[in-house]
Amino acid sequence: MTLGSCFRRSTGWDSDRRAMIIGRWCSGTGGLFICRFPVIARRSPPHYRAAMRQKILIGLALFLVVLGGVYLFFFQPDEARLSVADVSGRLPKITPPRAQMVPTFSVAEAIGWKSGEMPTPAAGLKVNVFATGLDHPRWMLRLANGDVLVAESNSPPREGGGIRGWVENRLMTKAGAGAPSPNRIVLLRDANGDGVAESRSVLLSGLNSPYGMAVLGSYLYVADTDQLLRFPFTVGQTQITAKPETVVKYPGGGEHWARNVIVAEDGKTLYLSIGSSSNIAENGLDKEKMRAMIIRVFPDDHNWQVYASGMRNPNGLAIEPKSKSLWAVVNERDGLGSDVPPDYMSAIETGDNFGWPWFYWGMYPDHRVKPERPDLAEYIKRPDFALGPHTASLGLTFADGAKLGGTYAQGAFVGQHGSWNRVPKAGYKVVYVPFGDNGFPLPNAKPVDVLTGFLDASGDHAHGRPVGVTLDATGALLVADDVGNAIWRVSAK
């Protein structure tokens, strides 16, 4: 028997039936072929094949629906269910967090200002360019003679690579913060008082991501990202050539690299803010030593002590004029959804702890932080005033001396750099918080817009991003715009 006859006899093969063989069908020993386990699968009728295709398509559609649901649940950006105003004020709405496997990313692409374009002032105010052509201006200090010092600065080189480093670099570049730090302080002078700085000079260069500045005694203090420096200085100088003296050192860089410094109410010491290196200490609490706090510096002794702690990124610092107490603007954590928690401003007293990383807005626990610390809850201070979720509130100055009309006579101006992780975007403006005679925000107060228009009409592009705010010698408000590379001047009409 041949292989072919074995095949035909065992299967009943008929070429006209056009069947096919499935399975193990034949084996042989010697010259004898023995067929085993023949299975025949004949071609299905057309209606059966159509039904099978329909079932396959239905199954594929169901799979895609499930896959889409998984994507929406884990990867779709979290959209706010509350307005920024709802999460602002002395009693903001604090809703349950909506944690995501992948954080929400919604960054306005930096495009700068075209010739003649400017932000939009509130009714009764006007705006002009005080200085332009700067390089990433972040912070300002007005001197006694009216000169304005501007810290041109950016983040120092960030550690780490991989996917996370690539994503961070992409976000920074898109937001207009990807360039190397200029590392200098520029002096602007408006000698004729027309509201435009007609001269500028480089006061200091070769610094390390400088930010806050203060004059105390015969020294100019500059807060680099990793140390507080001081230089012999006389108001009126346009250049400093003396070598710096290190007053104190502290951790530099990290996610929150900017260090602010102001003269304390006693006129002898300094307050200095140091932000955390991460969002919620996800790299370990050991990486957060001497961080997320405000320290008091004793410059002549080259010493310091912790003044207050538990603040993720305290940035703007100012002395409230009536109470003479320290106030700070603080950036809160990310990754809990578009509605919580709010950034805030608060009076700061010795020993205050605002809960980071374990708690936010008082006693609301962040269960992502391990190990949890419920034993700390009773010691946590709730902030005094919420500034909205993810507004990136940075700048702070009080209205003492402002000449902007009665609406802005007693309160605080706050520069909101703008969100990168909220839908819709929040911040990207300067707001005003009215205060009472007791040195605290009015009971039902909400932030009032002072300078807007930093986003384009679509909300997808940023002409600029406001940071530092201060008053000039005439009582007008100066606003540092680190994306627009300008200082804007807001005055009364």
Side-chain angles (χ1 to χ4, degrees):
M1 181 183 292
T2 66
L3 175 61
S5 63
C6 173
F7 182 81
R8 288 193 295 271
R9 291 181 62 184
S10 299
T11 64
W13 172 264
D14 187 338
S15 60
D16 292 335
R17 293 170 61 190
R18 302 170 68 181
M20 74 176 175
I21 307 302
I22 301 174
R24 185 172 58 181
W25 57 275
C26 193
S27 64
T29 54
L32 179 65
F33 287 88
I34 302 172
C35 295
R36 299 182 290 183
F37 309 111
V39 180
I40 300 176
R42 295 177 175 84
R43 176 170 291 185
S44 304
H47 72 276
Y48 179 78
R49 294 198 300 272
M52 286 299 296
R53 282 198 299 269
Q54 185 177 26
K55 290 180 180 180
I56 291 172
L57 290 174
I58 291 173
L60 180 60
L62 289 174
F63 173 75
L64 291 176
V65 168
V66 172
L67 187 64
V70 171
Y71 171 81
L72 290 174
F73 183 80
F74 288 108
F75 300 102
Q76 182 75 357
D78 177 76
E79 189 168 345
R81 303 171 192 176
L82 299 174
S83 69
V84 173
D86 288 334
V87 198
S88 300
R90 300 188 71 168
L91 296 173
K93 293 181 180 179
I94 306 296
T95 53
R98 300 188 293 273
Q100 287 187 293
M101 180 178 294
V102 176
T104 295
F105 295 112
S106 181
V107 181
E109 183 178 2
I111 59 173
W113 302 93
K114 295 179 181 178
S115 178
E117 291 181 333
M118 290 186 290
T120 304
L125 302 176
K126 60 183 179 180
V127 63
N128 67 272
V129 177
F130 182 74
T132 190
L134 297 165
D135 189 356
H136 217 253
R138 293 279 291 186
W139 208 251
M140 297 174 292
L141 174 68
R142 192 195 84 204
L143 301 178
N145 68 341
D147 288 347
V148 177
L149 303 186
V150 180
E152 293 183 317
S153 189
N154 206 344
S155 169
R158 293 177 181 255
E159 298 179 0
I163 295 177
R164 178 174 178 176
W166 180 84
V167 170
E168 286 184 350
N169 288 333
R170 292 279 294 177
L171 290 174
M172 296 283 285
T173 300
K174 185 176 182 180
S181 178
N183 289 335
R184 61 177 170 259
I185 293 174
V186 173
L187 183 146
L188 303 177
R189 179 168 290 170
D190 176 16
N192 60 10
D194 65 350
V196 177
E198 67 272 6
S199 69
R200 70 181 67 182
S201 56
V202 176
L203 184 73
L204 285 168
S205 60
L207 300 167
N208 185 18
S209 296
Y211 199 80
M213 299 157 285
V215 173
L216 179 58
S218 57
Y219 292 100
L220 171 66
Y221 291 81
V222 178
D224 268 3
T225 188
D226 57 355
Q227 60 183 332
L228 178 64
L229 305 173
R230 70 179 183 182
F231 301 81
F233 179 69
T234 301
V235 173
Q237 279 184 248
T238 59
Q239 185 178 18
I240 295 176
T241 57
K243 291 186 177 182
E245 175 187 359
T246 298
V247 180
V248 293
K249 292 186 176 183
Y250 37 78
E255 287 190 15
H256 307 117
W257 56 270
R259 311 288 178 249
N260 199 6
V261 62
I262 66 168
V263 178
E265 69 282 353
D266 63 4
K268 300 177 182 179
T269 58
L270 302 161
Y271 292 120
L272 189 142
S273 62
I274 307 172
S276 67
S277 70
S278 62
N279 181 33
I280 51 170
E282 61 271 19
N283 299 321
L285 288 171
D286 58 312
K287 300 293 194 303
E288 303 296 344
K289 291 180 180 178
M290 201 183 168
R291 302 194 73 133
M293 63 175 60
I294 295 173
I295 64 174
R296 191 163 199 159
V297 179
F298 303 89
D300 292 336
D301 297 333
H302 293 72
N303 204 353
W304 61 273
Q305 66 181 20
V306 176
Y307 187 76
S309 61
M311 293 166 281
R312 178 174 171 270
N313 185 25
N315 202 277
L317 301 176
I319 302 297
E320 198 282 319
K322 288 189 175 295
S323 64
K324 305 300 180 186
S325 60
L326 173 66
W327 278 71
V329 165
V330 180
N331 286 183
E332 254 295 354
R333 68 202 68 205
D334 303 320
L336 295 178
S338 290
D339 289 325
V340 292
D343 293 345
Y344 61 86
M345 61 187 298
S346 188
I348 312 292
E349 298 178 302
T350 304
D352 281 348
N353 187 328
F354 289 86
W356 186 90
W358 295 280
F359 298 89
Y360 59 89
W361 196 254
M363 295 173 59
Y364 288 88
D366 190 336
H367 296 296
R368 299 173 299 172
V369 182
K370 305 297 180 185
E372 297 191 41
R373 291 293 306 274
D375 55 301
L376 297 178
E378 61 181 307
Y379 304 106
I380 303 305
K381 179 178 179 177
R382 192 184 74 180
D384 290 304
F385 193 88
L387 293 166
H390 311 299
T391 56
S393 297
L394 296 175
L396 174 65
T397 194
F398 283 97
D400 190 34
K403 301 291 192 299
L404 300 174
T407 303
Y408 309 104
Q410 187 168 288
F413 297 96
V414 178
Q416 297 187 324
H417 202 222
S419 64
W420 61 268
N421 59 346
R422 184 179 189 270
V423 178
K425 297 175 180 66
Y428 296 92
K429 58 186 176 181
V430 178
V431 298
Y432 175 78
V433 178
F435 273 52
D437 291 333
N438 62 351
F440 284 86
L442 295 174
N444 298 316
K446 296 286 186 180
V448 178
D449 290 352
V450 175
L451 194 64
T452 59
F454 289 90
L455 290 176
D456 70 358
S458 71
D460 295 329
H461 305 94
H463 297 293
R465 303 184 76 183
V467 192
V469 289
T470 193
L471 297 176
D472 72 6
T474 70
L477 179 70
L478 300 180
V479 180
D481 176 355
D482 68 350
V483 164
N485 291 322
I487 305 295
W488 304 104
R489 182 177 181 268
V490 181
S491 57
K493 284 185 176 179

